C-alpha cells in the first residue's frame, strides 16, 4: 500500500499523537481495561505528556515515528532502549497505535520496520514488546515472527492485568535481512 507516509515525530506533533493515542486506547481496550481508565483519558493531558517527552532527547520515550494518511496523523510507534534490563533484548517497542479505520493497510508493519531501523542506528539489534495478554492484536506480533517470551502483571487503574512479551533476537528479520 502506498497511501501513507512515515516520518519522525517532532514536538509540534504532540497534540496529533495524543489524539491518536486516546482514540486508539478507547477503540482497542474497551472491555479489556476498566471503563474508568478509558473514560477519564484526556487528549489535553496526553498532549502535555507527549510535549515533554518529545522535547527531551534524554527522555527514554522520545523516539517516535508517525504515520500520515489523508493529511492527518493516523498512527505512531514509540521505541527505544529496553526499560527493565532484560539480558537478551536491548531494544523495546513501547507503543504502537493506528486508528481503526487505517488498520490492515501495512502501516503497522512499516512502523515496526522503522523502529527496527532506528534501533539498528543505535547499535541495538534485538527488541521486545509488551502487549495485554487478552488483546487480540497480539497476533500481529506473531505474524511478524515475534517469539513469545513470558507474562507479567501490571497495575492499570484499580485492576491488575496480564501482559505478554514478544521478542526478536535480531530485528533484521523484520526487514527481510534476518
Ligand atoms: C496492531 C496494529 C499496530 C497492527 O497494525 P496494522 O497496520 O493494522 O497491521 P498491518 O496491516 O501492517 O499488518 C501486518 C500483518 O499482520 C497481520 N495482522 C495485523 N493485525 C492482526 C490481527 N489483529 N490478527 C491477526 N493478524 C494481524 C496482517 O494481516 C498482516 O499480515 P500479512 O502480512 O499476511 O498481510 C494495529 O492494528 C493497531 O494499532 N491495533 C490497535 C492497537 C494495539 O493493539 N496496539 C498494540 C498494543 S501493544
Amino acid at each position: 500500500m502506498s497511501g501513507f507516509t512515515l516520518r519522525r515525530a517532532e514536538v509540534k506533533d504532540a497534540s496529533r499523537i495524543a489524539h491518536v493515542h486516546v482514540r486508539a486506547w478507547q477503540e482497542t481496550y474497551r472491555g479489556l481495561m476498566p471503563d474508568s481508565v478509558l473514560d477519564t483519558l484526556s487528549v489535553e493531558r496526553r498532549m502535555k505528556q507527549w510535549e515533554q517527552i518529545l522535547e527531551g532527547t534524554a527522555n527514554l520515550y522520545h523516539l517516535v515515528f508517525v504515520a500520515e494518511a489523508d493529511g492527518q496523523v493516523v498512527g505512531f510507534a514509540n521505541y527505544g532502549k529496553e526499560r527493565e534490563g532484560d539480558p537478551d533484548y536491548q531494544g523495546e517497542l513501547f507503543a504502537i497505535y493506528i486508528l481503526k479505520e487505517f488498520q490492515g493497510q501495512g502501516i503497522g508493519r512499516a512502523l515496526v520496520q522503522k523502529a527496527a531501523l532506528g534501533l539498528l542506528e543505535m547499535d541495538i539489534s534485538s527488541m521486545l514488546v509488551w502487549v495485554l495478554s487478552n488483546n487480540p492484536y497480539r497476533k500481529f506480533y506473531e505474524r511478524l515472527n515475534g517469539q513469545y517470551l513470558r507474562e507479567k502483571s501490571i497495575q492499570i487503574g484499580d485492576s491488575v492485568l496480564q501482559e505478554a512479551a514478544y521478542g526478536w533476537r535480531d530485528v533484521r528479520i523484520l526487514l527481510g535481512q534476518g
Side-chain angles (χ1 to χ4, degrees), residues 24-25 27-29 76 93-100 102-112 129-132 135-141 143-144 163:
W25 265 54
E27 288 173 346
T28 307
Y29 295 135
F76 68 92
L93 183 65
F94 300 128
I96 180 164
Y97 292 105
I98 294 152
L99 294 178
K100 210 171 196 73
F102 293 92
Q103 293 173 5
Q105 304 176 21
I107 299 178
R109 183 194 291 272
L111 279 170
V112 171
V129 62
W130 289 98
V131 54
L132 278 184
N135 182 352
Y137 285 99
R138 64 188 281 175
K139 291 215 163 53
F140 168 67
Y141 301 122
R143 182 76 189 101
L144 298 189
E163 281 192 322

Side-chain angles (χ1 to χ4, degrees), residues 130-162:
W130 289 98
V131 54
L132 278 184
S133 301
N134 57 2
N135 182 352
Y137 285 99
R138 64 188 281 175
K139 291 215 163 53
F140 168 67
Y141 301 122
E142 291 165 9
R143 182 76 189 101
L144 298 189
N145 297 310
Q147 190 191 343
Y148 172 74
L149 302 179
R150 60 181 177 273
E151 306 258 328
K152 71 172 176 186
S153 301
I154 52 151
Q155 172 119 23
I156 296 192
D158 293 334
S159 302
V160 176
L161 305 176
Q162 288 299 304

